[in-house]
Amino acid sequence: GAGVSQSPSNKVTEKGKDVELRCDPISGHTALYWYRQSLGQGLEFLIYFQGNSAPDKSGLPSDRFSAERTGGSVSTLTIQRTQQEDSAVYLCASSLLYQNHEQYFGPGTRLTVT
Amino acid sequence: RKEVEQDPGPFNVPEGATVAFNCTYSNSASQSFFWYRQDCRKEPKLLMSVYSSGNEDGRFTAQLNRASQYISLLIRDSKLSDSATYLCVVNDSWGKLQFGAGTQVVVTP
């Protein structure tokens, strides 16, 4: 079946602009996660959703970052007033349930802030 | 102390050889364990779950040692295509999966 999809695959934006990144999880998966990964680094957890609610926003780096999920499906990660340090690959993953279940990743969005 | 720790490597392995590496975790109550692989500039992909009794998938064998709180991955008859970063994943007390920073494996001809 269809896997996790993300769009856009690449985004180049100017410092100070807002960006929206989109994630379509695997159909039927209730949990959705956002991570980011800088070049050569490990995964940095940002936020997860259980249904449409986000019980754990502990990883969001600043209040410029926000995310929402609607209809228990698509999620959008928004970064306002982008900074150069926001440049990274943003990965979305989904899992059937939240606790202890394996996660399946999308291909990521490579964000470059110039 | 990090919840999941891995030797970053790289482990340089001749083609056809066997390589094994471990991952230690801090939460003694962890119940779920996975190995993922991540190719350069690609997303992580699930390689295998790790079961209490140990499990094998083709050339890959995963073991869990609860007493010493580590899991291991062994790759037999290494192929060039096995070159990747292998991520260890363990759940924390709230069921949230914690990803290690990865162990790089480089298989050479």
Short mmCIF file of all heavy atoms in Angstrom, two decimals, chain A residues 35 37 43 45 56 98-101 103 105-107 110, chain B residues 32 34 36 38 41 43-44 46 91 94-97 99:
data_model
loop_
_atom_site.label_atom_id
_atom_site.label_comp_id
_atom_site.label_asym_id
_atom_site.label_seq_id
_atom_site.Cartn_x
_atom_site.Cartn_y
_atom_site.Cartn_z
N TYR A 35 10.14 14.83 12.94
CA TYR A 35 11.53 14.88 13.36
C TYR A 35 12.27 15.82 12.42
O TYR A 35 11.81 16.11 11.32
CB TYR A 35 12.21 13.51 13.25
CG TYR A 35 11.63 12.41 14.09
CD1 TYR A 35 10.58 11.64 13.62
CD2 TYR A 35 12.18 12.11 15.33
CE1 TYR A 35 10.05 10.60 14.38
CE2 TYR A 35 11.66 11.06 16.11
CZ TYR A 35 10.60 10.33 15.62
OH TYR A 35 10.09 9.29 16.38
N GLN A 37 16.45 16.38 10.98
CA GLN A 37 17.79 15.79 10.94
C GLN A 37 18.71 16.73 10.18
O GLN A 37 18.51 16.98 8.99
CB GLN A 37 17.75 14.41 10.29
CG GLN A 37 19.04 13.63 10.41
CD GLN A 37 18.89 12.20 9.91
OE1 GLN A 37 18.15 11.92 8.98
NE2 GLN A 37 19.59 11.26 10.56
N LEU A 43 18.43 11.85 14.60
CA LEU A 43 17.07 12.38 14.54
C LEU A 43 16.77 13.23 15.77
O LEU A 43 17.09 12.84 16.89
CB LEU A 43 16.07 11.23 14.50
CG LEU A 43 16.03 10.38 13.24
CD1 LEU A 43 15.04 9.24 13.41
CD2 LEU A 43 15.67 11.21 12.03
N PHE A 45 13.60 14.72 17.72
CA PHE A 45 12.14 14.67 17.84
C PHE A 45 11.58 16.08 17.99
O PHE A 45 12.10 16.89 18.76
CB PHE A 45 11.76 13.83 19.06
CG PHE A 45 10.30 13.91 19.43
CD1 PHE A 45 9.36 13.17 18.73
CD2 PHE A 45 9.88 14.73 20.45
CE1 PHE A 45 8.02 13.24 19.07
CE2 PHE A 45 8.54 14.82 20.80
CZ PHE A 45 7.61 14.07 20.10
N ASP A 56 2.56 15.82 23.12
CA ASP A 56 3.97 16.05 23.40
C ASP A 56 4.55 17.00 22.36
O ASP A 56 4.84 16.59 21.24
CB ASP A 56 4.73 14.72 23.43
CG ASP A 56 6.19 14.87 23.86
OD1 ASP A 56 6.64 16.02 24.09
OD2 ASP A 56 6.88 13.85 23.96
N TYR A 98 0.26 4.70 19.14
CA TYR A 98 1.37 5.50 19.64
C TYR A 98 2.41 4.66 20.35
O TYR A 98 3.58 4.65 20.00
CB TYR A 98 0.87 6.61 20.57
CG TYR A 98 2.00 7.26 21.34
CD1 TYR A 98 3.04 7.88 20.66
CD2 TYR A 98 2.07 7.20 22.72
CE1 TYR A 98 4.10 8.45 21.33
CE2 TYR A 98 3.12 7.77 23.40
CZ TYR A 98 4.14 8.39 22.71
OH TYR A 98 5.18 8.95 23.38
N GLN A 99 2.00 3.93 21.35
CA GLN A 99 2.99 3.32 22.22
C GLN A 99 3.61 2.08 21.60
O GLN A 99 2.94 1.15 21.19
CB GLN A 99 2.36 2.96 23.57
CG GLN A 99 2.08 4.17 24.43
CD GLN A 99 1.73 3.78 25.85
OE1 GLN A 99 1.25 2.68 26.10
NE2 GLN A 99 1.95 4.68 26.78
N ASN A 100 4.92 2.09 21.54
CA ASN A 100 5.72 0.90 21.26
C ASN A 100 5.63 0.37 19.84
O ASN A 100 6.22 -0.66 19.55
CB ASN A 100 5.36 -0.24 22.23
CG ASN A 100 5.44 0.21 23.69
OD1 ASN A 100 6.25 1.06 24.03
ND2 ASN A 100 4.61 -0.34 24.53
N HIS A 101 4.91 1.03 18.99
CA HIS A 101 4.77 0.50 17.65
C HIS A 101 5.81 1.07 16.70
O HIS A 101 6.18 2.24 16.80
CB HIS A 101 3.37 0.80 17.09
CG HIS A 101 2.34 -0.15 17.59
ND1 HIS A 101 1.73 -1.09 16.78
CD2 HIS A 101 1.83 -0.33 18.82
CE1 HIS A 101 0.88 -1.79 17.51
NE2 HIS A 101 0.92 -1.35 18.74
N GLN A 103 7.59 2.74 13.62
CA GLN A 103 7.24 3.92 12.85
C GLN A 103 7.73 3.76 11.42
O GLN A 103 8.79 3.18 11.17
CB GLN A 103 7.88 5.17 13.47
CG GLN A 103 7.39 5.45 14.88
CD GLN A 103 8.09 6.61 15.53
OE1 GLN A 103 8.76 7.40 14.87
NE2 GLN A 103 7.94 6.73 16.83
N PHE A 105 8.64 5.96 7.99
CA PHE A 105 9.03 7.32 7.65
C PHE A 105 8.68 7.69 6.21
O PHE A 105 8.72 6.85 5.31
CB PHE A 105 10.54 7.49 7.84
CG PHE A 105 10.95 7.60 9.28
CD1 PHE A 105 11.12 6.47 10.05
CD2 PHE A 105 11.16 8.85 9.85
CE1 PHE A 105 11.50 6.57 11.39
CE2 PHE A 105 11.54 8.96 11.19
CZ PHE A 105 11.70 7.81 11.95
N GLY A 106 8.39 8.96 6.03
CA GLY A 106 8.31 9.52 4.69
C GLY A 106 9.69 9.89 4.20
O GLY A 106 10.67 9.83 4.95
N PRO A 107 9.78 10.32 2.93
CA PRO A 107 11.09 10.63 2.33
C PRO A 107 11.70 11.93 2.83
O PRO A 107 12.87 12.20 2.56
CB PRO A 107 10.78 10.71 0.84
CG PRO A 107 9.33 11.08 0.79
CD PRO A 107 8.69 10.44 1.97
N ARG A 110 13.61 18.51 2.41
CA ARG A 110 14.91 19.16 2.64
C ARG A 110 14.69 20.67 2.58
O ARG A 110 14.35 21.20 1.52
CB ARG A 110 15.91 18.72 1.58
CG ARG A 110 17.33 19.24 1.81
CD ARG A 110 18.31 18.61 0.83
NE ARG A 110 18.29 17.15 0.95
CZ ARG A 110 18.97 16.46 1.84
NH1 ARG A 110 19.76 17.10 2.72
NH2 ARG A 110 18.90 15.15 1.87
N SER B 32 10.00 -2.54 23.79
CA SER B 32 10.01 -2.59 22.33
C SER B 32 11.37 -2.17 21.82
O SER B 32 11.91 -1.14 22.24
CB SER B 32 8.94 -1.65 21.75
OG SER B 32 7.66 -2.07 22.15
N PHE B 34 13.90 -2.08 18.16
CA PHE B 34 13.94 -2.18 16.71
C PHE B 34 15.32 -1.81 16.21
O PHE B 34 16.04 -1.04 16.84
CB PHE B 34 12.92 -1.22 16.06
CG PHE B 34 11.51 -1.35 16.58
CD1 PHE B 34 11.05 -0.49 17.56
CD2 PHE B 34 10.65 -2.30 16.06
CE1 PHE B 34 9.76 -0.59 18.05
CE2 PHE B 34 9.35 -2.41 16.53
CZ PHE B 34 8.90 -1.55 17.53
N TYR B 36 16.68 0.03 12.69
CA TYR B 36 16.39 0.70 11.44
C TYR B 36 17.71 0.86 10.69
O TYR B 36 18.77 0.94 11.28
CB TYR B 36 15.81 2.09 11.68
CG TYR B 36 14.34 2.14 12.04
CD1 TYR B 36 13.88 1.64 13.25
CD2 TYR B 36 13.41 2.71 11.17
CE1 TYR B 36 12.53 1.70 13.58
CE2 TYR B 36 12.06 2.78 11.48
CZ TYR B 36 11.63 2.26 12.70
OH TYR B 36 10.30 2.32 13.02
N GLN B 38 19.50 3.48 7.75
CA GLN B 38 19.35 4.75 7.04
C GLN B 38 20.49 4.90 6.04
O GLN B 38 21.66 4.93 6.44
CB GLN B 38 19.32 5.94 8.01
CG GLN B 38 19.02 7.26 7.32
CD GLN B 38 18.80 8.41 8.27
OE1 GLN B 38 19.28 8.40 9.40
NE2 GLN B 38 18.05 9.42 7.83
N ARG B 41 21.38 10.35 2.98
CA ARG B 41 20.40 11.29 2.45
C ARG B 41 19.04 10.63 2.16
O ARG B 41 18.30 11.09 1.28
CB ARG B 41 20.94 11.98 1.20
CG ARG B 41 22.22 12.77 1.50
CD ARG B 41 22.85 13.31 0.21
NE ARG B 41 22.18 14.51 -0.27
CZ ARG B 41 22.43 15.73 0.13
NH1 ARG B 41 23.35 15.95 1.05
NH2 ARG B 41 21.80 16.76 -0.38
N GLU B 43 15.51 8.44 4.15
CA GLU B 43 14.82 8.30 5.42
C GLU B 43 15.15 6.97 6.08
O GLU B 43 15.52 6.00 5.41
CB GLU B 43 13.30 8.41 5.21
CG GLU B 43 12.64 7.19 4.56
CD GLU B 43 12.66 7.25 3.05
OE1 GLU B 43 13.51 7.96 2.47
OE2 GLU B 43 11.82 6.54 2.45
N PRO B 44 15.02 6.89 7.41
CA PRO B 44 15.22 5.60 8.09
C PRO B 44 14.15 4.60 7.66
O PRO B 44 12.99 4.96 7.45
CB PRO B 44 15.04 5.96 9.57
CG PRO B 44 15.24 7.43 9.66
CD PRO B 44 14.73 7.98 8.36
N LEU B 46 12.63 0.61 8.58
CA LEU B 46 12.62 -0.48 9.55
C LEU B 46 13.35 -1.68 8.99
O LEU B 46 13.03 -2.18 7.90
CB LEU B 46 11.18 -0.85 9.90
CG LEU B 46 11.00 -1.98 10.89
CD1 LEU B 46 11.54 -1.59 12.27
CD2 LEU B 46 9.53 -2.37 10.98
N ASN B 91 11.87 1.85 23.28
CA ASN B 91 10.81 2.70 23.83
C ASN B 91 11.20 3.17 25.23
O ASN B 91 11.90 2.48 25.96
CB ASN B 91 9.47 1.97 23.87
CG ASN B 91 9.42 0.88 24.91
OD1 ASN B 91 10.18 -0.08 24.85
ND2 ASN B 91 8.55 1.03 25.90
N TRP B 94 7.21 6.04 28.66
CA TRP B 94 5.89 6.44 28.20
C TRP B 94 5.54 5.80 26.86
O TRP B 94 4.56 6.18 26.22
CB TRP B 94 5.83 7.98 28.08
CG TRP B 94 5.98 8.65 29.41
CD1 TRP B 94 5.00 8.98 30.29
CD2 TRP B 94 7.21 9.05 30.02
NE1 TRP B 94 5.53 9.56 31.41
CE2 TRP B 94 6.88 9.63 31.29
CE3 TRP B 94 8.55 8.98 29.65
CZ2 TRP B 94 7.85 10.12 32.15
CZ3 TRP B 94 9.51 9.48 30.52
CH2 TRP B 94 9.15 10.04 31.76
N GLY B 95 6.34 4.85 26.45
CA GLY B 95 6.06 4.17 25.19
C GLY B 95 6.61 4.89 23.97
O GLY B 95 6.47 4.42 22.85
N LYS B 96 7.22 6.04 24.19
CA LYS B 96 7.75 6.81 23.08
C LYS B 96 9.04 6.16 22.59
O LYS B 96 9.89 5.77 23.38
CB LYS B 96 8.03 8.23 23.55
CG LYS B 96 8.59 9.18 22.52
CD LYS B 96 8.76 10.56 23.17
CE LYS B 96 9.58 11.50 22.35
NZ LYS B 96 9.77 12.79 23.06
N LEU B 97 9.17 6.04 21.28
CA LEU B 97 10.38 5.44 20.72
C LEU B 97 11.53 6.44 20.76
O LEU B 97 11.38 7.59 20.37
CB LEU B 97 10.13 5.00 19.27
CG LEU B 97 9.11 3.88 19.07
CD1 LEU B 97 9.15 3.40 17.62
CD2 LEU B 97 9.36 2.72 20.02
N PHE B 99 15.36 7.09 19.42
CA PHE B 99 16.30 6.68 18.37
C PHE B 99 17.72 6.97 18.80
O PHE B 99 18.03 8.06 19.28
CB PHE B 99 16.00 7.44 17.07
CG PHE B 99 14.78 6.97 16.36
CD1 PHE B 99 13.51 7.34 16.79
CD2 PHE B 99 14.87 6.15 15.24
CE1 PHE B 99 12.37 6.90 16.12
CE2 PHE B 99 13.75 5.71 14.56
CZ PHE B 99 12.50 6.08 15.01
#
